[in-house]
Amino acid sequence: MDYVDELTSGRTPLVKKAAKKILKGKLKGYGPFLHQALEGEMEKPKSWESQMYLLYAIAATDCTEEVPYLKSLLLRDIPTPVTYRSLAVAIAYLENLETENLSFVYESLESNNSSQAAGACAAIYQRKIVLKDDDFNKIMSYVTQPKYLEHIGQVINPFLFILAASYLFSEKNREKIVDFSRQFDISTVKDLINDVTKGKDGRRVSLF
């Protein structure tokens, strides 16, 4: 347990450094200390980067016991969009650890919080979930809404994560999202189209 002292130090630079190491190595066993560190960092509104790495580490090391706590944090008034996205990706990622459960994804898409919606869709990509036809069509009906496409290319939005994940989808569904995507004259979208039509993950929007 090489990083306990850093996680419990209360010092943001040390906490962030430890969380990045745990994330990179997917080091198990740090759950309680990641929780303790996150509690402290959530009291620091400007510490969005340490919050992000702690949340990614919690997800990547399969700390499913943290889901109720993470959901409680969503109820707070959080000033940083990145933290909402990071919370959502961690929750949805952990809820799909053993069996597919898209309930939080749909809850996020209906939340009118674009950062939360992006995080939930990012978990589909990060977790390599192969969407069934009904789920694909339903999620597409959300992520193609104008409010999510308005700033496409400027921010990582829900649609881009679903497009990035489509290399795993059925040929029919992959063609459907690729055909829709061709209307956007944006380099990120073009690169993603190039990746998924080759059936590969280019990791262009990978969060961890």
Side-chain angles (χ1 to χ4, degrees):
M1 305 294 279
D2 296 338
Y3 304 110
V4 171
D5 288 346
E6 289 93 333
L7 288 174
T8 57
S9 68
R11 297 175 58 191
T12 295
L14 293 179
V15 168
K16 183 175 76 171
K17 183 178 178 181
K20 289 174 76 171
K21 295 278 190 181
I22 293 166
L23 171 62
K24 184 177 180 180
K26 291 185 167 58
L27 305 176
K28 302 288 184 72
Y30 285 96
F33 305 105
L34 290 167
H35 178 115
Q36 180 182 337
L38 183 59
E39 282 188 320
E41 293 303 300
M42 288 302 295
E43 299 304 318
K44 306 172 185 178
K46 294 182 180 180
S47 295
W48 62 268
E49 200 171 6
S50 61
Q51 295 165 8
M52 178 183 74
Y53 284 115
L54 286 165
L55 288 162
Y56 290 172
I58 286 170
T61 57
D62 302 339
C63 298
T64 53
E65 70 279 0
E66 295 300 319
V67 169
Y69 171 61
L70 300 183
K71 286 187 174 182
S72 75
L73 293 178
L74 280 177
L75 302 176
R76 293 192 186 185
D77 183 15
I78 300 171
T80 314
V82 171
T83 301
Y84 274 114
R85 189 185 72 194
S86 304
L87 275 167
V89 71
I91 292 167
Y93 189 92
L94 291 168
E95 286 198 332
N96 285 276
L97 187 59
E98 295 177 355
T99 58
E100 186 177 304
N101 176 7
L102 298 179
S103 58
F104 179 75
V105 174
Y106 288 121
E107 179 185 323
S108 298
L109 288 168
E110 293 172 354
S111 70
N112 289 319
N113 182 325
S114 60
S115 297
Q116 182 177 331
C121 289
I124 291 173
Y125 164 72
Q126 297 284 155
R127 182 54 84 185
K128 295 181 170 59
I129 296 171
V130 180
L131 295 176
K132 301 179 183 70
D133 287 352
D134 286 349
D135 287 316
F136 171 79
N137 289 325
K138 188 173 180 182
I139 288 172
M140 279 290 286
S141 73
Y142 283 106
V143 301
T144 56
Q145 291 175 14
K147 65 180 179 181
Y148 289 135
L149 299 176
E150 185 178 4
H151 301 293
I152 192 168
Q154 298 175 15
V155 295
I156 299 179
N157 64 24
F159 177 79
L160 292 180
F161 288 114
I162 302 303
L163 174 59
S166 68
Y167 75 99
L168 293 169
F169 299 171
S170 69
E171 184 177 352
K172 177 184 68 174
N173 289 340
R174 185 165 60 247
E175 286 180 357
K176 190 179 295 185
I177 193 170
V178 165
D179 286 347
F180 181 87
S181 302
R182 293 192 190 281
Q183 67 183 287
F184 302 110
D185 187 20
I186 296 167
S187 59
T188 303
V189 177
K190 291 178 178 178
D191 289 341
L192 288 171
I193 290 173
N194 188 50
D195 289 338
V196 302
T197 52
K198 293 177 180 177
K200 71 174 187 177
D201 176 11
R203 297 187 61 79
R204 299 179 193 277
V205 295
S206 181
L207 298 180
F208 59 85

